[in-house]
Every structure is written in structure tokens, then in C-alpha cells.
Amino acid sequence: MRRLVALLALVAGTASAADSLRPPLLLTARPAAQDLSGTWTYSRDYYRTSLTDINGWVAKSRMQRFRDVDVATEEKKPGPTFFEFDLDRGPTMTLPGAWNSAVPELRWYDGLIWFQRRFDASVSAGQRSFLRFEAVNYRAMVYLNGKAIAQHEGGFTPFVVEVTNTLRATGNRLVVGADSRHDAQTIPGEITDWDLYGGITRPVKLIQTPATFIDDATLRLTDAGHLVGSLQLNGPQAGHQPVSLRIAALGLTLQARTDAAGEAHFDVAAPTSLKRWSPESPTLYDVDFEAEIGSDRDRLRDRIGLRTVAVRGSDILLNGQPIFLKGISLHEEEIAVNPARRLDDGAARRLLGEVKTGLHGNYVRLSHYPHSEAMLRAADELGLLVWSEIPVYWTVDWDNPAVLDKARRMQAETLYRDRNRAALILWSIGNETPVADNRTRFHAALAQTVRALDTSRLVSAALLVERQGDTLRIADPLLKELDVIAVNTYAGWYGDDTLDAVARLRWDVPADKPLLFSEFGADAQAGFRDPTLRRKFSEDYQADYYRATLAMAAQVPTLRGLSPWVLKDFRSPRREHPIFQQGWNRKGLISETGQRKLAFDVLAKHYESLSSKR
Ligand code: GCB
């Protein structure tokens, strides 16, 4: 019965879901009035004493970290009151960044920590104020000046809350409870192949706007050669206002008027002078959106590339031309001995620079969750196509409609955040999820959600491979929902195949869709050379493995791209070989300190040779 109810909920939810998935506030491209990065104080709360009601005891106010109370002042007063926290005098941490890397004693902490930031805010009359959190892993409970103002689930997507009526001119007390614990109903679930990275891992910004403001504005190029845009006003005067879109570099200005709901649309044939965005020539235009609202005016500028992407048979077409995706997968970890998943512009450029100039690549698989906005913007600027993924990884609770709703919301939050990024061409709805009816229904519903929200990009998922002798197949009913088939293949690393056997493997896959190898890889400890025996974990084996797998890949007629696993060694609690791994997944082509392994060069030469043929 539970299954039937779940099934009906999945089917019924699909059509109407798209409309209700738009986050109520976006403020994506809006500059911050104040970046709240920097020094915060914190207090651990492993037993959740700030929140819990155990044995009928109501959570004790003396433990509630989110209270707007000056503990030091209270302690000077005589009387029975006392406190078991004081965030004003707590230890400090530099945010954004994961606590696991910031403080040695928090290395394996998995639970709730309260963070506090005090700040002043100068607010002009009539202005509205918002806090925008780019990511808190995994759950966030937000309090401003003692008042609960927001909750959010999902460690990699942004959320915005209005604070106009809660903000003070001085001494604001922003308290965020960040809870990193995962369970059977979270996305991802409890076990992954990457580290915990709990905390406020991306920037928190205070944003100020006029009473009615541009919350969101988009522009893209259609297959028919039109520039199609939208603008969303938010506020008491959002309806029926004149708005405009201007691209000075193209001499283009378009006028429109918002409808009753505050939305306006633009549509014009693209000028012949338009330079399309591509990896070889990543042209970005400054696009200015403007709204006149009575005597007020609001402006928003975004840097946007314009290009088309489509599939035709087994080809992926960028701007109408077949393209081969020369890529690599990466986690969001900077090149550092002690990564904190604190990815700023510089770190994003350094990582992507390794792909663009080091590997001669044109593509990155940003696995296994939405990466930071800095990464997407760097990809736009450097000219690297992007696969973006939500963390429906290995297994989640397929039968639970609430879990599907979470996945849909994460997908929507990513999609509304990134839909102006020309680099982004592929949405992935899952990674290595085991084939079963309930899982396929879940993914099919997600695929429909993506298509309802964005018709201008391709849908894929990283699937599992099936082996019959020397033939590899993908026996997955999900194939029919996807524009692009992607598969993770590890013959020659996991299992007993010799590398000679890998080169002989053949693929039996549908001829009418493009295929990507979304992963293949082998661990190597940087500096471990074994030129004679060429054993696993040596750089020599990893390089041989790449040669064999690339030779096998060259025999697959519909293969249209590669994103081997993985650019850089990354921390994973699953990887505990005391000599070779020491808590790191060593499939990186570069080590945690940035040292290139032999296989880096094998892949770079391969991509260079493909470039010269095209
Ligand atoms: C996979 C997973 C990836 C792992 C990798 C590995 O298939 O998608 O998250 O890290 O294999 O190293 O085994």
C-alpha cells in the first residue's frame, strides 16, 4: 500500500511541480552590501540541547545559543539565572569553510554547531534587506536578533531570507545552526565517497534593494536564433512596470512591461554581430537589466554568454557543430593539503586552469553536487563546458515522496541559480543509482522536472555498467528519459581484469544517442614509481590504465566525451589504506598539493591529439 501511495504521489506531483519549484527569492547576480565572510564565533551542540525536548523537559533557555542575550552582562547581575553558552566569548573560526579542516578537534565532528556573527548595517529609508546564504552543509537554522528567520535543507544550494524588519542599525546578532548529519531521508544519504565538510561552506551576504526590485533576470539564445530573456520584479509595485534589457556591446536595447505578477519577457532576432560563446572563444556580454518603478530605478548587470546546445542522433551539437567533450570530473576542493571546501574565485581558476591549459580540455563534470557559483562563473570565463549534478548518489529513499520533493527542490535551486551560465550544458539527475523500478520512477520524475524548468539544456545521469564476457552494456530503463547516456566504467581498477583485457572490451550501446564515459580511473599515490612491476597504486599503473582505457574508448562509435575520475586527490573516509591512501581517494591526476602524476600527461597528450584532428 505504501508503495502504491508513493507511486501515485510521484506521478501526480510531476506536472504541477515545476511552477511551485521556483524559489521565492533568488537575488543571484546582485552585489552584496556586506559580505559577512570573516571571523565568526561558534559553539558545539552535539546533543542538540538548544533544540531538544527530552523526557518532557523543554529545551532550557540557558542552553539556547540563538537567544539575543548578552551573557556577560547577565552574569554580572545577582540572582539565580545562569547560562551554559556564550557565543560572544566563544572560540572563533574563519568562514566560509568546513569546520572539519578549520579546527583539529572538529576533524570528525558530525552534528550541530552554532555560529554567530555580530555586525552593524546601515540601511537607508525605504530599502529592503536580505541575507543570502550560498551554502550551509547540510541543514541550516537561521536566527537574527533572537528571531527564527529561516530553515534550509541541502548542503550545496543557496537560500535567501528577507530581514528588513528584523535588522538593527547596530549590534546585529546573526546565529546559524549548521547540522551536518545525514540519514536515510537526506540527499545524499549517509554514505558517500567524499568527506563530511560540515558548516557554512560558502559566503553569506547582506543584500539591499529598493522596495520593488529586480529579483531575477535571464537571457539565452534559442535554436531559432532568437535572444529570449525574462525579468522578474519583486515588491509592492511589481506589476505593469516598464523594464529594459541592454547589451551595449551589441548596440541592443529592448523594452518590455511586467505583467500583473511582475514578470516581463524579451524576444528578438539575434543581431548578426553576435559572437557566440564557445570553449575556443568564450565571449561574455555585460547585460544590463533595468526597471523604472515610479521615481525609483533598479538595475542589475550579469555577464552572459550566448550559445545553443542540442543532440542530433549520437552527436552533441554546440552552436550547431558536433563537439567532443574533453573533460575531467572534479570535486569542489581547492589545491591544498588541508582543503576546507572554501572555493573562492582564485581557487576555482586554479583548478579549472589545470583542465583548460594543463589538460587541453574543454569540459568539466562538476561532481557530485552543485558546485559554488564561483566555479560556474570561472567556467564561463575560461571556456569550459559544464555538467552539473544533484547529489542523488548511490541510493536515497526512492519510495518516499518527501525525498523526491527534496531532490526536485535542490534541482530547482541549482537551476534558477545557474541558468544564465553558457558553460552549463548538461543537468545530471543522479550518479550510479542501482537499477530498480522505484529508483527508475524517481529519476523519471526528476527528469520531467528538469525538462519542465529548462528546455535549453540536456539531461543525463551517470549510470552503472553491465558486463557479459568482453562486452559492456547499459541495461537501464532510464535510458529513454535521457538525452545523453553517461556511464562510469572501472574495468582494470575494480575487478580482476588485466589492462590487456581492458583494451579488448567492446561496448553494446544504443546507436542513436551520444555516450559519455562520465568516470573511469585508478588510484595512484603521487611519487610512488614502480617501472618494473607496475603494481596498483603506482603512478606507472595509473598511466598504463589510462592508456588502456583510452584505447578501448577509441573503439566506441557513439562516444562523445570523457570525464575521467578525477582531477585531484580528495578526502574520503572510505579510503583507509595506511600507506597509499591515508584517508584520500587517490584517483586524482594531481595530488592534494598540486603535483601532477604520470597519467596527467597521458590524458593531456590524448586531448591535444584530438584537438589537432578537429
Ligand atoms: C564512483 C563514484 C565516485 C567514486 C569513484 C571511486 O563510481 O561515482 O564518487 O569516488 O567511483 O573512486 O571509486
Side-chain angles (χ1 to χ4, degrees), residues 328-330 363 365 367-368 387 389 428 430-432 460-464 485-490 515-520 559 561-565:
I328 188 128
S329 302
L330 60 142
Y363 166 63
R365 176 186 179 203
S367 43
H368 282 299
W387 154 307
E389 184 166 337
S428 168
N431 179 74
E432 287 189 351
S460 191
L463 305 175
L464 289 161
I485 307 171
V487 68
N488 296 349
T489 172
Y490 279 94
L515 175 71
L516 304 177
F517 282 175
S518 37
E519 284 180 31
F520 62 87
L559 192 75
L562 303 168
S563 50
W565 195 253

Side-chain angles (χ1 to χ4, degrees), residues 33 121-129 164 167-169 206 208-211:
S122 62
V123 189
S124 323
Q127 284 220 304
R128 294 170 70 180
S129 301
T164 309
L167 199 67
R168 301 193 286 240
L206 176 71
Q208 287 172 339
T209 71

Side-chain angles (χ1 to χ4, degrees), residues 193-194 331 365 368 393-394 431-432 488 490 494 519 523 565 570 575 585 587:
D193 189 20
W194 65 84
H331 269 293
R365 176 186 179 203
H368 282 299
Y393 180 89
W394 289 349
N431 179 74
E432 287 189 351
N488 296 349
Y490 279 94
Y494 297 121
E519 284 180 31
D523 283 59
W565 195 253
F570 62 93
R575 310 295 176 175
N585 183 314
K587 295 189 187 69

Side-chain angles (χ1 to χ4, degrees), residues 326-330 333-335 346-364 375 382 384 566-568 589-597 600-601 603-604 607:
K326 294 169 287 182
I328 188 128
S329 302
L330 60 142
E333 291 185 46
E334 38 328 14
I335 299 170
R349 278 163 189 276
R350 275 193 295 284
L351 278 174
L352 295 184
E354 291 282 358
V355 184
K356 181 80 185 182
T357 50
L359 287 175
H360 309 285
N362 62 7
Y363 166 63
V364 279
M375 191 77 109
L382 293 175
L384 285 167
V566 59
L567 180 64
K568 181 187 157 279
L589 293 183
I590 55 182
S591 72
E592 72 274 29
T593 53
Q595 189 184 334
R596 291 181 181 177
K597 305 178 192 173
F600 188 101
D601 209 37
L603 187 66
Y607 284 162

Side-chain angles (χ1 to χ4, degrees), residues 401-479:
V403 175
L404 176 62
D405 277 350
K406 275 179 218 182
R408 281 195 172 119
R409 201 177 32 72
M410 284 180 194
Q411 180 64 66
E413 287 171 347
T414 314
L415 194 148
Y416 279 100
R417 187 194 77 175
D418 293 334
R419 62 198 172 140
N420 278 346
R421 303 285 75 80
L424 176 54
I425 56 166
L426 277 156
W427 295 119
S428 168
I429 54 172
N431 179 74
E432 287 189 351
T433 56
V435 177
D437 287 351
N438 54 357
R439 157 277 189 193
T440 304
R441 277 196 300 273
F442 186 102
H443 278 307
L446 267 182
Q448 286 173 35
T449 299
V450 179
R451 290 186 200 288
L453 295 174
D454 184 1
T455 52
S456 70
R457 292 184 173 84
L458 309 174
V459 180
S460 191
L463 305 175
L464 289 161
V465 71
E466 198 177 274
R467 177 88 176 261
Q468 279 171 351
D470 279 349
T471 303
L472 298 170
R473 298 173 58 239
I474 307 163
D476 192 330
L478 190 60
L479 285 187

